[in-house]
Amino acid sequence: MDHTAHNDSSAAHSQRHDHGNLPGLAAELAPAADAAAAAAAGTVYTCPMHPEIRQDRPGNCPKCGMTLEPVLPSLDDESNPELVDFRRRFWWTLPLTVVVTVLAMIGHQLGWMAMATQSWLELVLAVPIVLWAGWPFFVRGAQSVVNRSPNMWTLISLGTGSAFVYSVVATVTPQVFPDSFVSMGRVAVYFEAAAVIISLTLLGQLLELKARSQTSAAIKSLLGLAPKTARRIAADGSEEDVPLANVHVGDMLRVRPGEKVPVDGVVVEGSSALDESMLTGEPLPVSKRVGDKLIGATLNTSGALVMQSEHVGSATVLSQIVQMVAMAQRSRAPMQRMADAVAGYFVYGVVAAALLTFFGWGLFGPEPSWVYGLINAVAVLIIACPCALGLATPMSIMVATGRGATHGVLFRDAAAIENLRKVDTLIVDKTGTLTEGRPSFEKAIGANGFEASEVLRLAASLDQGSEHPLAAAIVTAAREKNFVLDKPEQFDSASGIGVRGAIAGKALALGNTALMAQLGVDVAPMAVQAEALRAEGASVMHLAVDEKLAGILAVSDPVKATTAEALATLRKAGIRVVMATGDGLTTARAVGKRLGIDEVHGEVKPADKLKLVEKLQSEGRVVAMAGDGINDAPALARADVGIAMGTGTDVAMNSAQLTLVKGDLRGIATATALSVATVANMRQNLAFAFVYNALGIPLAAGLLYPFTGWLLSPMIAALAMSLSSASVIGNALRLRGAALKQD
């Protein structure tokens, strides 16, 4: 954020920069806060593949049939109820599946019962497998028809249902079939195919559910950071440990050495060093004194503190980081929308292919042709299940967002992950982005009869109406000199160029040369002195009294220690870096020269930053904008990827797609590496799913039979279908170990 903006409305902004904290994140996401509040009122359930589906009770997704999951996992959730249910159905019916399969394979060789009797025995054994263990699949298949949303369960229920119903009819009324269906003294039945498909599908679901549960590990690890209790100090001075849920805003809490800060708040007594690495990744402890902000879940390493709680429950930084990660995990990448569209038509194509297979074999195949037709049609329905296709990108996104959160990189949605790797141009703000955002007053110089002390006093009086960090530096300097400050009247923020108001009946204006030009104030008499200060990297503001120049003020803001390294890494990656700041051009160039930034734009307004983004985009550049101020918000929103500093303003973070929790530009390299790895992972998953189906369907349909004699059993098709989903999930989980530049 640039010094001429003077339009930060957040009262906590100066404290953010003074203490290097993250309180700006406490209100970062309005949607996240709303969602967290809703979750507090009652669990909200959503679909892993279709995050737009949300309801207040468990159930199945009307689009894909998957079981809905809580939006926000809980540490109290010891096990997934669906996982428990499917495990029970699988293990209770697995022995029956084995017996049915053995009977189908070698029963006729044993000769210990008539084949018709064996069909009845297989029927009795298969009923609990298909109608009990497989019942959830048929329910989901029926729901897909009712909702007109064909999916994997449509194919599974059609395939197993067809095999089972055919076999029941063949067992109960074999006389309705022609003689060509009779083999070894009975009409051929395929109870074992339906049973094995159900068991293998259950096994695939067990593997998938167990793997999916690992994607919430990042969120659960964040939730686990919060302490369970807080030590509350009562009005009479007595102390007691209370559950965290019983802490309210305004409570006085004691944080002893070695304990975690229970909630967000402010130090009212004592001093200490706090380890904030669990949230920011910053390894060095941060000193805290009276008046400094505290973040819940951070560790008090040394001294004892008394704090007053300011944000509790879903309003804390930790809760909103968790919610942001959860929202990003549920968002859909552009690549996923393509996969969803393909999968929708794909099911219709598979059903058509199954019908063609059935009639093709029945009319033109060898005897028993219709039996071949039925079995091959069932194999087509099973092997073409689009579950791997549907899981290809959601699994990658869920793992990647969790991984990013542990490195202080918060993605707002899946599109940000997918787009970041394409960025070739980065526009950076100066104050609070390249610099510390903790400016200090250097000097004031008077003009036209005004003393330097009076220039500082008047500027500080006017700046009391602003919470901008540079304004805070001026006000602080005046108060340290014990100047008596007047209350400003008619205060107005001229967005991006300065502030105006009245002091003791005099019209004052404080800002850059653009504001002075608007007011017709001649700044030429002090141009040389101002330019000399800018050349040293200081920000220069002009003070006008009754539209006459009264003097200039210089404030400097040190460059962050990590900025040079971050910019070098970005340039090495081929990214063009552009600085756009509201500071004077000379100041901007001085900082740019120090950091090796060749393209510098100074004294730009918020609209100018927006135009710069649009200009670069019109040249075919993929633009990212990094900033932390209100005046950066339009450009952040317009950029292909907006990157906000976690130490900046709430408006900036609400406008951005990516937040760097530590406010460290090195996080862009980490986020970019994660973006590249994630997109590659999604492409691998999609390619695997498409190739698998492209090869599997012709094989299952028997197209290779005339040349090779190969036919694909429905049982093998079911196994392949389950393994394909497990493979996609396993590949996505590899992202947890992907090498990132900051690892």
Side-chain angles (χ1 to χ4, degrees):
M1 181 168 62
D2 304 319
H3 78 284
T4 51
H6 278 63
N7 56 354
D8 182 4
S9 61
S10 171
H13 187 74
S14 61
Q15 288 175 317
R16 283 185 207 125
H17 290 278
D18 289 342
H19 310 309
N21 267 338
L22 302 180
L25 282 175
E28 173 177 344
L29 282 180
D34 294 342
T43 303
V44 177
Y45 295 85
T46 188
C47 173
M49 290 168 56
H50 298 91
E52 67 274 17
I53 303 299
R54 299 170 72 90
Q55 64 184 45
D56 58 1
R57 62 191 182 283
N60 297 328
C61 175
K63 291 187 176 182
C64 67
M66 293 184 71
T67 298
L68 301 180
E69 300 176 343
V71 169
L72 203 60
S74 169
L75 289 174
D76 298 330
D77 295 339
E78 296 183 358
S79 58
N80 185 328
E82 183 185 28
L83 178 61
V84 173
D85 179 50
F86 279 11
R87 185 185 293 120
R88 182 176 65 252
R89 292 174 189 268
F90 174 75
W91 288 111
W92 276 97
T93 58
L94 181 61
L96 302 180
T97 299
V98 172
V99 174
V100 170
T101 304
V102 170
L103 284 175
M105 294 176 63
I106 64 173
H108 63 283
Q109 298 176 357
L110 299 177
W112 58 286
M113 71 175 71
M115 294 304 295
T117 304
Q118 181 175 318
S119 294
W120 277 98
L121 179 58
E122 290 181 24
L123 169 60
V124 171
L125 294 172
V127 164
I129 303 171
V130 176
L131 299 185
W132 178 67
W135 183 251
F137 306 155
F138 292 107
V139 171
R140 295 177 182 184
Q143 289 174 340
S144 72
V145 174
V146 172
N147 294 319
R148 297 181 182 179
S149 179
N151 52 52
M152 58 178 284
W153 305 109
T154 314
L155 302 181
I156 292 174
S157 58
L158 279 175
T160 56
S162 299
F164 182 73
V165 171
Y166 159 81
S167 300
V168 170
V169 175
T171 301
V172 177
T173 57
Q175 63 275 11
V176 302
F177 292 89
D179 293 341
S180 61
F181 277 64
V182 178
S183 175
M184 292 180 291
R186 67 171 179 175
V187 176
V189 294
Y190 294 93
F191 290 116
E192 83 286 355
V196 170
I197 290 168
I198 293 294
S199 292
L200 287 175
T201 303
L202 279 170
L203 176 61
Q205 287 297 292
L206 291 177
L207 295 174
E208 178 183 322
L209 289 168
K210 290 187 70 174
R212 278 218 319 264
S213 66
Q214 297 181 45
T215 63
S216 63
I219 292 180
K220 288 190 174 182
S221 66
L222 288 171
L223 289 171
L225 293 176
K228 304 300 182 186
T229 62
R231 189 161 188 83
R232 185 165 60 192
I233 304 174
D236 60 3
S238 62
E239 300 181 10
E240 63 173 338
D241 291 326
V242 298
L244 202 62
N246 293 347
V247 175
H248 303 289
V249 174
D251 283 353
M252 303 299 291
L253 308 171
R254 185 177 299 282
V255 186
R256 293 165 292 192
E259 293 182 339
K260 289 184 177 181
V261 177
V263 295
D264 296 357
V266 61
V267 179
V268 296
E269 180 184 315
S271 62
S272 182
L274 271 78
D275 179 0
E276 298 181 341
S277 61
M278 64 282 293
L279 288 181
T280 67
E282 181 59 52
L284 296 178
V286 181
S287 297
K288 301 291 181 180
R289 300 178 299 277
V290 173
D292 286 352
K293 299 290 185 178
L294 297 176
I295 309 169
T298 54
L299 180 65
N300 182 21
T301 62
S302 52
L305 298 173
V306 175
M307 63 174 290
Q308 184 175 31
S309 61
E310 291 186 333
H311 301 288
V312 301
S314 61
T316 63
V317 168
L318 177 63
S319 294
Q320 295 197 36
I321 288 178
V322 168
Q323 189 63 31
M324 187 176 187
V325 173
M327 290 173 67
Q329 287 188 342
R330 304 299 181 189
S331 63
R332 298 165 72 189
M335 200 178 295
Q336 175 63 27
R337 290 193 288 271
M338 178 270 292
D340 287 348
V342 171
Y345 293 108
F346 181 73
V347 174
Y348 291 111
V350 169
V351 173
L355 291 174
L356 287 173
T357 300
F358 177 70
F359 287 107
W361 276 91
L363 295 173
F364 307 109
E367 293 296 332
S369 61
W370 291 104
V371 173
Y372 278 123
L374 174 67
I375 299 307
N376 289 334
V378 170
V380 168
L381 291 171
I382 298 303
I383 201 169
C385 172
C387 49
L389 183 63
L391 288 169
T393 65
M395 291 302 305
S396 299
I397 293 298
M398 293 177 75
V399 176
T401 49
R403 180 80 191 281
T406 62
H407 287 268
V409 175
L410 302 181
F411 290 98
R412 179 180 295 279
D413 52 34
I417 298 178
E418 191 168 334
N419 292 334
L420 185 60
R421 78 189 211 288
K422 304 174 186 176
V423 168
D424 55 24
T425 303
L426 173 66
I427 301 174
V428 291
D429 176 38
K430 184 179 78 68
T431 306
T433 302
L434 297 176
T435 64
E436 293 285 354
R438 295 197 299 268
S440 59
F441 173 77
E442 284 196 6
K443 64 190 305 183
I445 303 175
N448 294 324
F450 284 87
E451 295 292 333
S453 57
E454 182 64 6
V455 170
L456 174 59
R457 190 189 73 81
L458 290 174
S461 296
L462 182 60
D463 261 340
Q464 290 180 102
S466 172
E467 289 294 341
H468 190 282
L470 294 187
I474 293 173
V475 173
T476 299
R479 286 176 175 163
E480 287 177 351
K481 295 178 182 295
N482 297 317
F483 288 168
V484 177
L485 303 184
D486 298 321
K487 183 178 180 180
E489 299 174 355
Q490 302 172 0
F491 180 83
D492 178 51
S493 172
S495 180
I497 57 175
V499 294
R500 300 171 64 180
I503 299 291
K506 296 180 180 180
L508 269 64
L510 178 66
N512 61 15
T513 55
L515 178 60
M516 297 299 108
Q518 275 188 13
L519 300 175
V521 177
D522 182 14
V523 299
M526 304 201 71
V528 174
Q529 292 165 297
E531 199 68 10
L533 290 168
R534 294 189 188 104
E536 297 173 1
S539 298
V540 176
M541 287 162 280
H542 297 78
L543 176 68
V545 177
D546 291 332
E547 298 186 356
K548 290 184 179 181
L549 185 65
I552 58 176
L553 300 98
V555 178
S556 63
D557 186 12
V559 173
K560 292 179 181 177
T562 59
T563 296
E565 177 189 345
L567 295 181
T569 301
L570 292 170
R571 282 192 290 267
K572 186 177 179 181
I575 295 177
R576 171 184 173 189
V577 180
V578 179
M579 183 199 298
T581 174
D583 274 349
L585 188 56
T586 303
T587 302
R589 284 175 176 168
V591 175
K593 183 178 180 180
R594 191 185 313 168
L595 295 173
I597 302 175
D598 297 325
E599 187 172 349
V600 175
H601 299 266
E603 295 196 4
V604 294
K605 303 175 185 177
D608 296 327
K609 291 185 180 182
L610 178 60
K611 288 177 182 177
L612 178 60
V613 171
E614 293 172 340
K615 175 180 176 292
L616 291 169
Q617 289 174 329
S618 69
E619 296 172 357
R621 314 288 294 190
V622 181
V623 181
M625 169 72 193
D628 77 332
I630 292 174
N631 57 340
D632 298 318
L636 288 170
R638 182 65 181 87
D640 296 288
V641 179
I643 304 172
M645 302 295 107
T647 50
T649 65
D650 305 334
V651 174
M653 288 183 279
N654 281 325
S655 303
Q657 294 174 290
L658 173 66
T659 297
L660 305 180
V661 174
K662 295 182 289 183
D664 183 347
L665 286 176
R666 290 181 300 176
I668 298 178
T670 298
T672 302
L674 187 57
S675 171
V676 171
T678 303
V679 171
N681 192 271
M682 289 192 291
R683 286 176 172 169
Q684 293 163 4
N685 288 345
L686 286 171
F688 180 81
F690 279 122
V691 170
Y692 163 81
N693 285 307
L695 296 177
I697 292 176
L699 182 60
L703 294 183
L704 300 182
Y705 181 77
F707 311 104
T708 63
W710 293 350
L711 287 176
L712 189 65
S713 164
M715 292 180 288
I716 302 301
L719 179 61
M721 179 268 293
S722 298
L723 291 178
S724 71
S725 297
S727 299
V728 165
I729 295 170
N731 188 49
L733 292 175
R734 289 193 309 110
L735 283 172
R736 295 188 301 175
L740 303 180
K741 285 183 172 59
Q742 282 190 324
D743 277 11

